[in-house]
Amino acid sequence: QVQLVESGGGLVQPGGSLRLSCAASGSIFSINVMGWYRQPPGKQRELVAQIASGSSTNYADSVKGRFTISRDNAKNTVYLQMNNLKPEDTAVYYCNADLTAWDRKYYQYWGQGTQVTVSS
């Protein structure tokens, strides 16, 4: 079993910053890709950013230049630094991990979600 535990969400004013963290634990052999998705109210879940084990990154156009994804492989943790937040960034943010477990099989796991609200 693998668990993803997120933290760092909250309420912030437009132009402010937040840092999300997601720690993976359990029967992990290696983590291939970690990422963040978000689901705004009444909308579908969408990709925000991804980072591979070799540190290559991929961002949604709407967050390029404002958000930065990073990971600590030793801690199986991924971070999302969000700067210059806008009201349209309001959403539930979900951590995602594509990993290889100790049984050498591939799995995808999701965190429970953390609310980010950008409002004055």
Side-chain angles (χ1 to χ4, degrees), residues 2 27 32 97-109:
V2 173
S27 303
N32 307 312
D98 289 336
L99 58 87
T100 303
W102 283 110
D103 62 6
R104 298 302 193 268
K105 294 181 180 179
Y106 295 102
Y107 297 90
Q108 183 177 97
Y109 286 93

Side-chain angles (χ1 to χ4, degrees), residues 19-73:
R19 189 191 193 209
L20 305 182
S21 300
C22 172
S25 62
S27 303
I28 300 170
F29 177 73
S30 65
I31 300 179
N32 307 312
V33 180
M34 298 190 82
W36 290 94
Y37 290 71
R38 67 186 181 187
Q39 187 164 15
K43 296 184 178 181
Q44 291 186 332
R45 192 174 298 188
E46 61 185 14
L47 173 67
V48 177
Q50 288 179 314
I51 184 166
S53 57
S55 298
S56 62
T57 57
N58 178 40
Y59 293 93
D61 288 342
S62 59
V63 307
K64 284 181 180 176
R66 300 188 298 122
F67 291 11
T68 302
I69 190 169
S70 61
R71 63 190 281 177
D72 184 332
N73 291 329

Side-chain angles (χ1 to χ4, degrees), residues 71-120:
R71 63 190 281 177
D72 184 332
N73 291 329
K75 296 181 179 179
N76 287 336
T77 299
V78 64
Y79 306 95
L80 185 68
Q81 178 66 43
M82 305 185 292
N83 298 328
N84 190 23
L85 282 160
K86 303 176 180 180
E88 52 264 41
D89 295 317
T90 295
V92 178
Y93 283 70
Y94 295 92
C95 176
N96 174 271
D98 289 336
L99 58 87
T100 303
W102 283 110
D103 62 6
R104 298 302 193 268
K105 294 181 180 179
Y106 295 102
Y107 297 90
Q108 183 177 97
Y109 286 93
W110 292 90
Q112 79 283 1
T114 185
Q115 178 70 45
V116 171
T117 302
V118 184
S119 175
S120 55

